Every structure is written in structure tokens, then in C-alpha cells.
Amino acid sequence: MTAFLGNILGGLLKFVYDMVSNIGTEPQNFSFYAMAIIITTVIFKIILLPVNLHQSKSSKKMNEIQPKMKEIQNKYKNDPQTMQAKMAELYKEHNYNPAAGCLPLLIQFPIILAFFKVMGNPTIYAFKDPAVYQAMNKTFFWIQNLEVPDPYLWGLPLLAAATTYLQSLTMVQPSTDPQAQATQRMMNIFLPVMIFMAAKGFAAGLALYWVIGNIFSIIQQVVTNKSLRKIKEEN
């Protein structure tokens, strides 16, 4: 599966690179290769936009019915079968699918793995001629080669962590459950730290993909939150 997606992603990366490399003179510190990674990331985010919008609506609906879920859990805590039936009725009444929130992760995880493959083996999945690939400029401002990790921790690794944290804040919906709030706060800290540690060893091109993807998601989520809030106020 990841090899199949790697070929698709690599082919798109090569196509975008060919397009941008024909626009004129390549900037010294902002290579066509870096441009191609950024544009390819945005394209994939646009493709996944309907799925992510569905997730946002599902998360908002889940938080709206959470008090009723808690009430059912407390009322039927000694009767699991009745609790399950009542929860199913609640989901049906509000047209809510508990598995909907996992769908974007299930879709995006293979794409991330595929990008790992492309960045680790670009001459297999994207640029078929090794000599041509080695001769390419791969700079991105302070990074001389996007094939290797960013030499500065304050660069892409820190940006990857910071944008991951900001993205988690935009996705959080208010919860009345103290335990859920505590879990969310822990995840908001743990995940950025994990991403920072991992990005130190990533090829900088992969870290760049992560940062651009997060920025796109933050903008998309802010716009979505405003739209959903406006719809709720009108109703």
C-alpha cells in the first residue's frame, strides 16, 4: 500500500518539480525542489479537505452530545447492554458516527509513510535518474540539502512542534468532562514534543512537508470553526 502511494506521491512530486523548474531562474536559497515539496503538500491537503471537514463536523457534534452520553453512562453503568443500546439510539438520533473521527487519521497515516519512502528513496519513487537528482539544488533558506536533517533545532524541528501544538489548539472543542480535558491537555503537550524529537532525525524535506501540512490545517480549521459557529448562531 505505501509503495503504491509512494509511486503516486513521487510521480506528483516529479510532475510539480518539472512545472516549477520551467518558471524561470531558480532562487539561490529557495530551490525548485523545496517549492515542489510545498506545492505537493498543499495539493494533498486539498484532496483530503472534504474528509477533514467531515471530521471537524463530527468532532463538534460529539462535543454537543457529550453531556447526554455522560448521563447515559452514569445512569446505566451497571447495565452495559442497556447502556450500549441507549448510546446507539443517541448516535442515531443525532446522526453521529463514533468512527468518523478516526477516518482522517486512517487515510493520512499511509500518506505520511509514503512520503517517508519518497524522501528516503527519491530516485526510486520520483526522480528516476540518480545523476540528475544528485545534481539538483535542494536548498531551503538555511538548509543546504533537504535530504538530510535540519542542522538547527530552532529550524524545522521547532516549527514542526510549534505548528503541531497550534493545530491541536484549533481542533479542540470545549468539553464538560474533566477527564477528557486532562487527557486533551496532555496530548497537546506530548504530541508536539514527540514530533520535535522525531523531526531532528527526519530528512528536512519530510519536516518541511509536516510544517506546511500543519499550517494548511490550522488555516482550514480556523475557517471551519468560524463557519460552524456562524451556522449554530443562525439556528
Side-chain angles (χ1 to χ4, degrees):
M1 179 65 174
T2 54
F4 173 73
L5 289 174
N7 285 320
I8 294 177
L9 184 56
L12 178 60
L13 180 64
K14 176 63 164 59
F15 174 78
V16 173
Y17 177 82
D18 290 341
M19 294 289 291
V20 298
S21 62
N22 289 322
I23 63 175
T25 304
E26 184 175 30
Q28 183 178 357
N29 296 320
F30 189 17
S31 65
F32 290 144
Y33 184 59
M35 295 180 198
I37 291 174
I38 293 171
I39 295 172
T40 301
T41 303
V42 172
I43 290 173
F44 265 93
K45 282 294 183 178
I46 291 174
I47 292 173
L48 292 173
L49 191 57
V51 178
N52 289 328
L53 289 174
H54 181 73
Q55 181 196 26
S56 297
K57 292 178 181 178
S58 178
S59 297
K60 184 173 180 59
K61 186 171 293 185
M62 188 273 287
N63 280 279
E64 289 175 352
I65 67 174
Q66 194 174 57
K68 293 183 179 180
M69 293 170 59
K70 192 71 175 178
E71 182 181 335
I72 291 173
Q73 290 169 348
N74 291 333
K75 186 176 181 179
Y76 300 101
K77 59 183 177 181
N78 296 321
D79 188 355
Q81 290 185 338
T82 302
M83 181 194 297
Q84 186 175 3
K86 292 294 183 181
M87 293 290 276
E89 290 176 7
L90 180 65
Y91 295 154
K92 184 176 181 180
E93 178 186 349
H94 292 272
N95 193 27
Y96 172 69
N97 182 0
C102 300
L103 183 59
L105 293 176
L106 293 175
I107 293 176
Q108 293 185 63
F109 187 64
I111 294 176
I112 294 172
L113 293 180
F115 217 93
F116 265 104
K117 284 185 173 291
V118 174
M119 291 292 101
N121 302 281
T123 55
I124 295 177
Y125 293 100
F127 305 93
K128 305 300 183 180
D129 189 334
V132 173
Y133 175 74
Q134 292 301 325
M136 285 168 44
N137 178 17
K138 304 179 187 69
T139 59
F140 179 71
F141 297 111
W142 65 92
I143 302 170
Q144 294 301 310
N145 187 351
L146 286 169
E147 285 186 290
V148 299
D150 190 331
Y152 303 107
L153 296 182
W154 50 258
L156 289 178
L158 183 59
L159 285 173
T163 53
T164 298
Y165 177 73
L166 290 174
Q167 183 188 8
S168 69
L169 293 182
T170 62
M171 293 180 66
V172 171
Q173 299 290 339
S175 174
T176 57
D177 187 348
Q179 185 176 358
Q181 291 177 349
T183 301
Q184 187 62 57
R185 284 195 297 268
M186 183 181 68
M187 289 301 299
N188 287 351
I189 296 173
F190 174 75
L191 186 57
V193 171
M194 185 179 70
I195 292 298
F196 175 78
M197 299 300 294
K200 293 193 302 179
F202 286 168
L206 185 60
L208 178 61
Y209 156 80
W210 190 264
V211 170
I212 298 301
N214 281 347
I215 292 173
F216 183 97
S217 295
I218 290 168
I219 296 172
Q220 172 241 306
Q221 194 64 46
V222 168
V223 173
T224 301
N225 289 345
K226 287 184 177 180
S227 299
L228 292 175
R229 189 159 50 245
K230 184 177 180 180
I231 292 173
K232 184 177 180 179
E233 290 173 354
E234 291 176 350
N235 293 336

